[in-house]
């Protein structure tokens, strides 16, 4: 079994090694298209799964990186929706369930990295929705709206 899970990998944008053999890349969609700027977009997960209902046993992975869709106000078929996914109207339940699933499959003392962009929803709201306070975090991006937050699962 692999040690790392990316439950909503999309096109694996932040991975240096997009084919790392130690990572289980999951997504509920597969896509090959050309974006409006001519770049190719490929979403090809190892495992087809919705991050709210992962097909793995409890306590399977040492590390989970959770980068769910973060955009609410976007067209269903826009290039942004294709690239990043789109939040549904019941996004609070979806994010809460996704975070819970990530913790469920994480081994005790394992780490969960949660990436969130505040384009539509502030991090303070997300922390309230998931019900956990991160150990630490880091802002990144041109506008400092992308947050990387670290959590550890209790033993």
């Amino acid at each position: 079994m692999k040690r790392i899970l990316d439950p909503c990998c999309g096109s694996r944008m932040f991975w240096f090694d997009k084919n790392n053999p130690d990572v289980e890349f999951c997504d509920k969609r597969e896509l090959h298209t050309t974006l409006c700027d001519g770049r190719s977009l490929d979403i090809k997960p190892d495992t087809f799964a919705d991050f709210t209902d992962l097909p793995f046993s409890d306590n399977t992975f040492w590390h989970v990186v959770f980068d769910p869709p973060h955009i609410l106000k976007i067209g269903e078929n826009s290039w942004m929706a294709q690239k990043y996914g789109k939040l549904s109207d019941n996004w609070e339940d979806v994010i809460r369930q996704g975070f819970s699933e990530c913790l469920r499959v994480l081994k005790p003392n394992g780490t969960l990295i949660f990436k969130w962009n505040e384009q539509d929803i502030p991090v303070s709201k997300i922390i309230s929705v998931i019900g956990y306070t991160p150990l630490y975090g880091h802002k990144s991006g041109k506008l400092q709206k992308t947050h990387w937050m670290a959590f550890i699962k209790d033993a």
Side-chain angles (χ1 to χ4, degrees):
M1 181 53 76
K2 297 178 181 182
R3 296 184 302 162
I4 303 164
L5 173 66
D6 183 344
C8 34
C9 67
S11 61
R12 308 178 189 190
M13 286 183 288
F14 58 75
W15 289 95
F16 286 100
D17 180 355
K18 296 183 185 322
N19 297 300
N20 187 314
D22 211 19
V23 180
E24 185 67 29
F25 294 102
C26 297
D27 210 299
K28 67 179 184 181
R29 58 202 178 117
E30 184 171 25
L31 178 68
H32 174 74
T33 190
T34 302
L35 299 174
C36 58
D37 63 3
R39 288 180 295 156
S40 180
L41 175 68
D42 290 301
I43 298 171
K44 189 171 171 122
D46 299 327
T47 300
F48 288 94
D50 187 313
F51 63 76
T52 64
D53 186 23
L54 295 169
F56 306 107
S57 300
D58 295 357
N59 308 318
T60 300
F61 299 96
W62 284 106
H63 184 77
V64 176
V65 58
F66 184 42
D67 179 15
H70 61 271
I71 304 170
L72 272 171
K73 304 166 189 161
I74 193 167
E76 292 290 329
N77 297 314
S78 69
W79 71 268
M80 290 280 286
Q82 289 179 336
K83 191 171 180 178
Y84 298 109
K86 181 182 187 295
L87 286 172
S88 59
D89 291 338
N90 65 334
W91 68 268
E92 290 176 337
D93 292 334
V94 169
I95 295 299
R96 186 180 302 110
Q97 180 62 32
F99 192 86
S100 292
E101 275 292 278
C102 288
L103 283 179
R104 180 186 66 76
V105 301
L106 190 64
K107 290 181 181 280
N109 297 312
T111 55
L112 168 60
I113 302 299
F114 184 17
K115 180 178 173 255
W116 187 260
N117 183 286
E118 294 185 299
Q119 177 171 321
D120 290 337
I121 302 162
V123 164
S124 59
K125 176 69 176 174
I126 292 303
I127 291 171
S128 172
V129 165
I130 63 173
Y132 292 88
T133 301
L135 294 169
Y136 59 88
H138 177 73
K139 293 180 186 179
S140 65
K142 290 180 202 174
L143 302 175
Q144 299 288 293
K145 287 190 169 205
T146 299
H147 296 254
W148 294 81
M149 297 170 276
F151 299 83
I152 192 165
K153 184 174 178 178
D154 291 334

